[in-house]
Amino acid sequence: MRGHVDDPPRLLAACDLGLIQGGLSTGMELVAAGRPFIAFPLGHHFEQNIHVRHRFERDEATRFMDLARVSPEEIAAAICRELGRRPDYLPIEPGGVQRAASIIGELL
């Protein structure tokens, strides 16, 4: 378990399994690195439960668990299932940063 990390992409690329709160940035870093992960989105967090969940499900990226409704044994079983799994994520389209900069540049 880590708090602040200086180089998150490097750490995430080296992990065996990510257990994340459910944010898009960390999840997409894990997708880009090809690492399996389980997300535990906050109960009433719209973005994590709707937007982020939709994005990950569309990309076949992760498993979601409701921390308020799942037992420690169920979490342990999910970890065992996911450890060593080779995710078959949809590819991330390159050039996103350049496209975003171009769109923003047009607005300025």
Side-chain angles (χ1 to χ4, degrees):
M1 180 174 208
R2 307 261 182 176
H4 172 77
V5 177
D6 288 329
D7 190 3
R10 186 174 181 190
L11 178 70
L12 295 171
C15 75
D16 294 319
L17 174 68
L19 302 176
I20 68 169
Q21 180 176 308
L24 186 61
S25 296
T26 303
M28 289 307 295
E29 288 289 349
L30 289 160
V31 169
R35 308 310 305 156
F37 63 102
I38 300 171
F40 298 89
L42 296 173
H44 297 290
H45 194 289
F46 175 83
E47 181 184 17
Q48 290 180 5
N49 284 287
I50 305 297
H51 171 69
V52 174
R53 184 181 198 118
H54 171 75
R55 171 67 188 263
F56 288 149
E57 287 175 346
R58 182 191 72 194
D59 293 342
E60 302 171 5
T62 194
R63 311 295 182 258
F64 287 87
M65 299 189 89
D66 183 345
L67 201 52
R69 293 190 169 103
V70 69
S71 71
E73 293 79 16
E74 290 171 307
I75 295 171
I79 289 171
C80 289
R81 280 192 304 274
E82 294 298 310
L83 275 173
R85 182 175 74 87
R86 303 293 260 172
D88 187 24
Y89 300 135
L90 295 176
I92 297 174
E93 187 177 328
V97 171
Q98 291 82 3
R99 282 193 307 281
S102 174
I103 292 168
I104 292 168
E106 291 173 13
L107 296 173
L108 300 176

